[in-house]
């Protein structure tokens, strides 16, 4: 706070074009740079995801998913970066953990283990898992996406402990802020 007060005093003492313009530029830059960075990242992510369109469409159709939904999950999870890795050990485009990969491979023995940083393999595992969650939650995308982000066991536990809870209530009252933001973003982008 003290530095702002000093800045204001300095501008008052040095009334005049150059000082006011300089301070204005500094303040505008402090406000605009983070916004410009977010805008540029969004444009960068959109370009990376667009380049993956053929593979996203192929794997979505193979698992009976809407390509828009898969594209929205990829964007939210990794921004289209096949080398993305979370601090919780999730890998690749759809941010698949080793536990999720193991679960999918056990349910689908015809799938062979691969590299989670490989675009096709990650999309195959991720779309297979997402299709399973949508089926498990009776076609409810909100519940399936909530389960994708916080785990299906947690979602089922909340449902057991709160009979009759709606998907909206579960998300609003029992999911954390990151899960809420994630689900809303994916639903807004991918229906």
């Amino acid at each position: 706070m003290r530095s702002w007060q000093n800045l204001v005093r300095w501008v008052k003492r040095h009334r005049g074009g150059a000082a006011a313009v300089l301070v204005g530029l500094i303040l505008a830059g402090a406000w605009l740079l983070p916004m410009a960075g977010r805008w540029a990242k969004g444009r960068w992510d959109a370009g990376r995801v667009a380049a993956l369109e053929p593979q996203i469409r192929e794997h979505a159709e193979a698992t009976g998913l809407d390509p828009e939904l898969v594209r929205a999950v990829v964007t939210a999870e990794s921004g289209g970066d096949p080398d993305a890795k979370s601090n919780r050990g999730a890998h690749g485009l759809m941010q698949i953990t080793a536990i999720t990969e193991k679960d999918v491979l056990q349910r689908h023995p015809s799938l062979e283990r691969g590299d989670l940083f490989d675009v096709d393999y990650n999309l195959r595992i991720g779309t297979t898992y997402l299709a399973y969650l949508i089926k498990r939650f009776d076609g409810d995308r909100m519940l399936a996406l909530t389960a994708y982000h916080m785990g299906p066991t947690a979602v089922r536990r909340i449902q057991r402990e709160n009979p009759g809870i709606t998907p909206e209530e579960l998300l609003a009252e029992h999911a954390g802020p990151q899960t809420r933001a994630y689900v809303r973003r994916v639903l807004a982008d991918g229906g």
Side-chain angles (χ1 to χ4, degrees):
M1 185 64 153
R2 192 150 177 78
S3 61
W4 284 106
Q5 291 169 341
N6 290 338
L7 184 60
V8 169
R9 271 192 294 250
W10 184 82
V11 169
K12 286 180 180 177
R13 268 186 277 142
H14 295 89
R15 288 183 196 239
V21 169
L22 178 62
V23 170
L25 287 173
I26 291 169
L27 293 175
W31 180 72
L32 286 174
L33 280 176
M35 287 179 45
R38 286 190 297 275
W39 177 82
K41 182 184 181 323
R43 301 270 301 172
W44 175 255
D45 291 353
R48 284 195 304 207
V49 173
L52 297 165
E53 184 61 32
Q55 290 138 308
I56 289 172
R57 186 165 296 285
E58 174 191 340
H59 291 285
E61 290 172 359
T63 53
L65 294 173
D66 179 358
E68 296 285 325
L69 178 63
V70 176
R71 185 179 313 105
V73 170
V74 167
T75 301
E77 289 288 350
S78 68
D81 181 2
D83 296 321
K85 186 173 181 181
S86 78
N87 57 358
R88 294 185 178 211
H91 297 82
L93 291 175
M94 295 187 75
Q95 290 293 276
I96 307 297
T97 63
I99 293 170
T100 299
E101 178 188 30
K102 182 179 177 182
D103 180 55
V104 170
L105 292 174
Q106 286 176 343
R107 290 177 195 286
H108 301 274
S110 63
L111 295 177
E112 292 183 26
R113 182 175 301 278
D115 179 2
L116 287 172
F117 293 111
D118 175 75
V119 170
D120 281 312
Y121 181 72
N122 191 283
L123 285 169
R124 183 175 302 113
I125 297 296
T127 55
T128 301
Y129 183 61
L130 183 56
Y132 160 74
L133 290 175
I134 290 173
K135 184 176 179 181
R136 180 174 179 183
F137 291 98
D138 300 320
D140 191 302
R141 287 181 173 194
M142 182 177 283
L143 281 177
L145 290 168
T146 303
Y148 192 94
H149 198 262
M150 63 186 263
T153 304
V155 171
R156 283 293 193 210
R157 180 185 47 76
I158 293 166
Q159 287 180 315
R160 271 193 318 278
E161 293 172 357
N162 302 277
I165 191 169
T166 67
E168 293 80 9
E169 291 169 336
L170 188 146
L171 185 64
E173 298 169 14
H174 298 278
Q178 288 180 330
T179 299
R180 287 192 303 271
Y182 169 83
V183 171
R184 289 183 181 126
R185 178 179 176 194
V186 171
L187 289 175
D189 292 348

